[in-house]
Amino acid sequence: MWDNGVQENLTREQGMFGFKDGGMDGGMDGGMDGGMDGGMDGGMDGGMDGGMDGGMSGAPRPVSGTTAAAVLPFDGMLGLAEIDALSVPQGVRFPESSWRPDLRAQLVLSEFGTTNWRQFDETETVPREKWQHVNGFTLAPPSLDIPDNLEAELALLMERARFQRNGARMAEIARQADHSMDYWKTLLSLTPANKPATMTLMIAGFTIGQMVGMYFKDFFQRARPAHYLPTLMTVLPTPAHPAFPSNHALQNELVGLLALRCLPDSLSACYADAITSLAYRIGENREIAGLHFTQDSDAGRQVAHWLDREFMGKLDIVQSLVAEARDEWHVSGRATLRSLPYAAPIRRRTALRPTPDSMVVI
């Protein structure tokens, strides 16, 4: 899913994230409506960044960041002058810096899978209504079978649809459907070459968030907004899985939290607000698109903080990667600027009503 660091260009977040290739990269050839059998559904990559590589059939591009044109034809083996004896090195090990981040992230997933993250309290958990972990963390979303709850959620989505679906935001929503990692690599100037350990942890956030989110989606079986109000006319097709919690909110919040672990303290103080804001915005965009209720997004963020607090920071491999990642960032200190023309501060909601062991998410 990622390039080899030489091209310094990530390809598509496919496979591990459950995403497909295509989308906005192809300009007119792979645009918002998918062009000719491509675009959003995984087809024509088009344009300078891919031309016809994506294929009109929606075939995925090579995940290594190379294409067929990069294969060097060579017949047989290279001839050597000395044929009686051959010297070979000993003690050779595969360099950790040569790992493709998305594949190394599977090691984080493997260790996370040994934890008890799915162990719920059987006396407190009610199928489709309430899930409580043995450590006390609880998800209990307000029921949408209660008319007042449903009306409040739909009213907010209708307001968003009316006032926030502008051209620039629509393009952003479309791109983030399958390529939200592009926004993270732009925000933090990431490539597999310059920040391999940081990228590995962030990709692990997507991978683990995807799996955990699907578990909760299956548990709660919540319908999508369009199932209640088809006239919302969602910006993108309604996804083929339940709504609660929002995986975009969960994954990107977790990615942001893991990114913050990677940064030296002085740099974390500089970047924390931007990281938090990007994670929030990507989840919020799914509401503007009409794909999620606010309770879906809030719960996704709540789960992300629980995972980071109770599990991720305790994994040996995460601790090792954090140590590696901190060596990738070089900064001597920080300064404060007070005269820049700042935009209005972002207003954020609180998460679901907290239980004693759950967390309020900004």
Side-chain angles (χ1 to χ4, degrees):
M1 275 155 271
W2 313 99
D3 72 353
N4 56 12
V6 176
Q7 295 171 311
E8 296 187 356
N9 173 37
L10 294 177
T11 55
R12 305 295 170 258
E13 300 159 28
Q14 56 193 28
M16 159 185 11
F17 306 147
F19 296 156
K20 300 179 182 178
D21 196 8
M24 297 295 294
D25 266 1
M28 293 298 292
D29 290 337
M32 291 175 62
D33 62 354
M36 296 181 62
D37 296 331
M40 302 299 295
D41 288 328
M44 293 178 67
D45 205 11
M48 294 295 292
D49 192 38
M52 297 294 290
D53 289 346
M56 294 180 64
S57 65
R61 296 173 64 190
V63 296
S64 64
T66 64
T67 64
V71 176
L72 299 177
F74 194 87
D75 183 23
M77 294 178 59
L78 187 65
L80 300 175
E82 179 60 60
I83 60 174
D84 294 329
L86 183 66
S87 295
V88 296
Q90 290 188 319
V92 178
R93 298 292 184 271
F94 186 83
E96 288 189 345
S97 60
S98 294
W99 269 95
R100 227 174 68 196
D102 64 304
L103 298 181
R104 196 179 183 193
Q106 298 296 308
L107 305 180
V108 183
L109 176 64
S110 176
E111 187 172 335
F112 174 78
T114 66
T115 68
N116 72 339
W117 71 271
R118 292 194 304 176
Q119 188 175 351
F120 58 85
D121 187 332
E122 296 184 2
T123 63
E124 295 292 333
T125 297
V126 180
R128 309 291 182 259
E129 295 181 13
K130 177 184 176 182
W131 188 92
Q132 183 168 313
H133 193 265
V134 290
N135 68 11
F137 173 79
T138 302
L139 284 178
S143 173
L144 295 181
D145 290 335
I146 298 175
D148 286 348
N149 292 342
L150 179 60
E151 183 175 2
E153 290 279 2
L154 287 176
L156 182 55
L157 293 189
M158 293 169 68
E159 182 179 3
R160 289 192 180 282
R162 182 178 179 186
F163 295 107
Q164 293 183 275
R165 288 185 186 176
N166 56 60
R169 196 76 170 217
M170 294 279 276
E172 181 183 332
I173 289 169
R175 181 68 183 180
Q176 288 171 358
D178 289 355
H179 301 281
S180 54
M181 186 63 189
D182 288 352
Y183 288 79
W184 288 107
K185 64 174 183 173
T186 297
L187 181 73
L188 299 175
S189 300
L190 299 173
T191 72
N194 66 17
K195 302 289 189 296
T198 301
M199 287 197 64
T200 296
L201 275 173
M202 294 176 72
I203 296 167
F206 277 113
T207 309
I208 292 169
Q210 177 87 337
M211 178 181 69
V212 173
M214 290 301 169
Y215 168 81
F216 285 121
K217 286 173 182 288
D218 180 64
F219 179 87
F220 286 100
Q221 292 290 327
R222 286 296 184 97
R224 295 273 179 171
H227 296 141
Y228 292 98
L229 189 65
T231 53
L232 275 173
M233 295 303 293
T234 59
V235 171
L236 303 171
T238 295
H241 51 80
F244 184 94
S246 165
N247 261 19
H248 272 72
L250 192 166
Q251 289 172 290
N252 285 280
E253 189 79 10
L254 184 56
V255 166
L257 291 168
L258 291 172
L260 287 172
R261 287 183 177 272
C262 297
L263 302 179
D265 292 341
S266 57
L267 197 56
S268 177
C270 299
Y271 288 179
D273 193 17
I275 288 172
T276 302
S277 293
L278 178 60
Y280 186 90
R281 184 181 178 98
I282 292 174
E284 180 185 52
N285 279 341
R286 303 294 283 182
E287 298 173 32
I288 296 172
L291 302 174
H292 278 292
F293 294 114
T294 58
Q295 64 173 239
D296 303 335
S297 303
D298 291 339
R301 297 183 186 103
Q302 187 177 350
V303 172
H305 281 262
W306 171 63
L307 292 175
D308 180 66
R309 182 180 71 250
E310 297 294 334
F311 301 102
M312 300 303 295
K314 299 175 183 178
L315 300 180
D316 291 340
I317 190 169
V318 169
Q319 294 174 10
S320 176
L321 283 166
V322 166
E324 285 183 45
R326 289 199 163 210
D327 288 338
E328 297 171 348
W329 299 88
H330 307 288
V331 60
S332 60
R334 62 188 177 97
T336 301
L337 307 180
R338 301 190 182 278
S339 300
L340 293 179
Y342 290 118
I346 298 174
R347 296 178 181 177
R348 299 188 180 95
R349 298 185 306 273
T350 56
L352 299 173
R353 179 177 299 172
T355 62
D357 292 296
S358 64
M359 185 175 192
V360 173
V361 181
I362 62 171

